[in-house]
Structure formats: C-alpha cells, structure tokens
Amino acid sequence: MKNIIEINKVSLCYQNNKVISNMSINIEKGDYVAIIGENGTGKSTLIKSILGLKKVDEGKIKFNYLKRNEVGYLPQKNTSQKDFPASVFEIVLSGRLNNLGFKPFYTKKDKEIVIENLKKLDILKYKDKSFNELSGGEQQRVLLARSLSSSKELLILDEPVTGLDKKTTEDLYKIIKELNIKDKMTIVMVSHDLESAFEYANKILELKKEEYTYKKVEEYIHEDNCDFCEEEFDD
Amino acid sequence: MINNIIEMFSYTFILRAIIVGVLVSLCASLLGVSLVLKRYSMIGDGLSHVGFCTLAIATVLNLSPLLVSIPITIIVAFLLLRINESSKIKGDSAIAMISSGAMALGILIISTTTGVNTDVSNYLFGSILAMSNTDLYISVISSIIVLVIYVIFYNKIFAVTFDENFAKGIGIKVNTYNAIIAALTAVTIVIGMRIVGSLLMSSLIIFPTITSMLIAKKFKTVTIIAAIISVITFFIGIYISYSYNFPTGASIVLINILFYLVFVIINKVKR
C-alpha cells in the first residue's frame, strides 16, 4: 500500500511541554486511523502539525500524492458559530476555498461538487436552510460535507461526535465509514469514543505520555497491555 | 418635502457629503457584518478614537488630515488585531486602553495648541461642512478601493469569519485576510468620521448588521440588507439634519436605532 502521510521521527511540544517524542508512523492510502489517548497527550497537537498549523519541533511530516492544502478538515466544535447567519450551501461551498487560489469567485464546477457532496450526506434538502436552525447532528453533517468539498483523498476529523446523542453519533460514524470504504478516502480521526474507534477504524494510534502505540485494530485489542480495552469490553 | 430635497442637493457641500456618505455607509456596513460576527466590533470603536488622535496631530502640523490619518490608523488596526489574538491582557480591555489613550492624547494635543474650537468638535461629532475638495477625492478613491477589495475577497472573508480553524486547516492564510479586514476598516473609519464624527462612527459599522441579522439568515442576504439599510438610514439622517438643522452624525445614528427597534418589533409580531 502507498503511504499517504509519512511521520518521521517527529517530536512535538504543547505549551513548552514535550507531548510526542520521536514518533515514526506511516498512514497508508485507504486507512482509517483512530487517534486515542487521555487529555493532554497531544492528540490535537499532532493533528495540527499534520495540517501544517503548528511547527514540528523535530523530524518531518511528509505528504505523498497530495498537497497540504488538499486535505479535508473538520475542526473541533466552535461555539461562536451558534448564531452565525449562513446557509448550508454557503458553508459547504467555503470548503472549495483551497481550490480557489487567486480567483475571487467560485466556478460552476465548485457548485456542482458541493451539490454532489450534499446529496452524498443526505442534506441536499437543507441546502438553503440556515445553519443554526439545524440540529447538532445535521450541523456536523454540513461541516463534514464542507471537508469533503476540500478533499477527495484525506479527511482529518477532530472529535467529530462531541455533544451528539447516541443515535446521531452512530449515524455519523456510519457515514464516515462509508466514505472510507466506498470512496476510498483516508480517514484520520481523534476520538474519545473507544468502542466506536475499535469498531470502525482499521488502525489505532494510542498516545501516552511521550509514548505511542500504533497497531492494527485486531492486534491492538489482543494485546494484554491495552488498558482501555478490558474496561470497555467487560460491560 | 420634495422641494426641500431638491434644495438640499443643490448645495455643493451637501452633495459632497452625500457622495462620500453613501460610499462610507456601504463600506462600513459590509465590513460591519464580518466585524460583528467575529466579535471585533470594539476594534471599530477603538480605531475611530485613534482616528481622532491622528486628525488632531495632522491639524496641529497643518498636514492633510486624511493622508496622515489613513496610514497611521491602518498600522494601529494591525496592532489591535495582534493584541486581540495574542495578548496576555484581555483583548477587549487592551482595545479600550488604546482607544481612551489615543483620545486623551488627541485632546491634549489640541488643547495645548489650537484650543477646542469648531474644527475639533467637527472631528468629534462630525460635520458635513468639513469636507474639502481634496478630502472628497481622497475619500471617494479610498472607499471605492475598499469596496472593490471587499468584493474580490468576499468568499475568503466569509470563510475566515465563519470558521478560522477550518480555513487555517485547509491552507488559507487567515492572518492575511484578518489584516485585510482590519486595514479596510481603518480606511473606512477615517473617512467616515469626518461626517458622523469619531464618537459615533462605530455605530455605522454595528447597527446595519445587527438590524439586518434580525430578518436575514444567510450571510449574503445579511450583507446585502445591511448595505441597503445603511444607505437608507444615511439618506434619512442627512435629510433630517438638513431640514431641522440637527447634527448629521447624531441624526444618522438615531435613525439607525429607530430602524433597529422597528425591525425588532416586526420580528416579534411575525412570531
């Protein structure tokens, strides 16, 4: 398989504390990687570095087959969007921004891609609705459609299900899995929800203090040293 | 009333004020949507006080007020933006500090040199008489530049306003666009404060957006309606100011408040 992201001997700091040291992993095309670990272990820091928002302190993160701006990104929930007046179409269209370059306006093709993505996530009916009139799950779908509009290859999701109820969470996970299987998109997702991580991802990246484990899900679950799995699967 | 309006347009100084006023109202309302939604309204207020200070300096040095004020205010706008993003002092307090500091400096400069005369009160409260021909040209050209840049960057400004983190994540130079918004705001404020006054300028930025958000739910509609409201309130304001000899800035602001209240009531009734 082809490596889409190569993380080579990377060390990262968060507020002057080293959170990741000497990490070397490859993310292959078509992978679904769940990044798990307790708070403060550097999950979001790692994602920011992959996106190029944060400088890598040591080592190198290399992208193959796609440029850094060809990534789809779903950031953590942002409360300031609550009363923002914007239609679903306007928001999803803004995902095409990385394809705009120096052109000031979107083309017909941009709009077609957006419609296609709205259909794919079953939210075409909300196209002209206001974002803040939608439910939490619908809003996340809109933001997912926006990320899809910026990339056909790679989605980076930072805790996409925070604050959603069980049913909506499951639906969203299924959609993401479908994108992974049907559209062969590579998924990198930060998750607090271990059960779903084990169910849907094919690889687990567990971060501990300055240490990490990167394994296929099957191998990860069968390891004895896995602290999380037992408590998760006992009940 | 129609005779009154025709008469009003026959005065060159009012015509000048109207041309500049319409352009500034457009600029202020368009940028206002972004500033209000980004919670940057106070930057507008701070900049208008800084504008007062720079106008005071220009008057004392006998230089063209706009040519001095525009560049300095743009620089301060960048500074305020930086402070808002990264300072240890809370952003809004920092802006209040700079704003009252600039005001104090401006008043000090004026009172130790020319004294508080009509010129000064024009800057504070605005006057349609204050516009010279040079001012007119500079104002028209600058506000057209602001409008053109806004339209060119409209899509980027939307993305940066709605979700900075996402925009950063997909490789958009968010800081550059924030700086563009700040610079455009600075230019608009310096031009506009000659008419409505530095104390009232920020209301031209805030009111049209807030009113428009009561009825519109899309970003584009909010922007367009804000622009329309802004121009209409400007015309009514300047007409009242002319007819009853009221101060221009205050009239425009009070009409804006009236519009806001009417829209609030319409909104309540609709539900």
Side-chain angles (χ1 to χ4, degrees), chain B residues 28-50 77 80-81 84 91-96 99 161 181-182 185-186 189 198-211 213:
Chain B
S29 55
L30 297 181
L31 291 164
V33 177
S34 226
L35 295 172
V36 167
L37 289 168
K38 280 169 96 57
R39 313 280 193 269
Y40 280 0
S41 316
M42 284 315 289
I43 290 189
D45 200 51
L47 286 180
S48 58
H49 293 171
V50 171
L80 289 182
L81 204 61
N84 213 28
D92 52 344
S93 320
I95 291 168
S99 141
T161 308
I181 294 173
T185 308
I189 283 172
S198 87
L199 292 179
L200 299 174
M201 185 57 211
S202 55
S203 62
L204 279 200
I205 290 182
I206 298 165
F207 272 108
T209 302
I210 299 287
T211 309
M213 272 166 65

Side-chain angles (χ1 to χ4, degrees), chain B residues 4 22 36 61 63 67 88 120 166 170 197 201 206 208 247 269:
Chain B
N4 227 352
V22 167
V36 167
L61 298 177
L63 298 167
L67 288 182
K88 281 174 192 159
V120 178
F166 172 77
I170 62 168
M201 185 57 211
I206 298 165
V269 171

